[in-house]
Amino acid sequence: MPRCDVILLLRIQFARQRSGMFTSIHEYARLFGLDRERLRRAKPDILLLAPGPINRGVEITPEVADGPHSAILQQVTNGLAIRMAVLYLLCGQPGAEG
């Protein structure tokens, strides 16, 4: 993490696991979650991203998710607008031919 410019978090989908890679959500959060202590090892200007949804307290602690390095809410908002624009164009709306 000390050399990274961006951290992109993805959520674990426990419902899709068949092999039980983790004994519990608590174990997953302890081993892999991004918390304040892990964030201290990153660059001072690190950018945190996640496409959403996030599981607060699992992949990322609330104070990190809402902290100054996080652009998660902006990313989710922008992603929604982009998907809406792409669907609008794909649906063949008048004037969408470019």
Side-chain angles (χ1 to χ4, degrees):
M1 285 186 5
R3 298 184 334 190
C4 297
D5 295 318
V6 176
I7 297 174
L8 174 62
L9 298 165
L10 299 175
R11 69 183 171 94
I12 190 76
Q13 295 181 341
F14 288 101
R16 295 186 181 191
Q17 286 189 23
R18 292 193 180 106
S19 63
M21 294 170 50
F22 311 103
T23 57
S24 68
I25 291 175
H26 176 73
E27 178 190 27
Y28 178 85
R30 184 178 56 80
L31 294 173
F32 302 106
L34 184 59
D35 58 16
R36 192 178 317 150
E37 187 59 38
R38 286 194 173 119
L39 189 61
R40 283 192 187 116
R41 294 185 230 148
K43 288 181 174 182
D45 61 345
I46 191 76
L47 177 64
L48 300 178
L49 298 173
I54 60 171
N55 296 311
R56 292 171 182 271
V58 180
E59 292 88 14
I60 187 170
T61 58
E63 68 270 7
V64 174
D66 298 326
H69 301 285
S70 177
I72 295 171
L73 293 179
Q74 296 94 327
Q75 181 184 3
V76 170
T77 299
N78 292 342
L80 176 62
I82 293 295
R83 288 190 299 277
M84 289 172 60
V86 168
L87 287 172
Y88 179 84
L89 292 172
L90 289 174
C91 288
Q93 297 299 320
E97 297 85 45

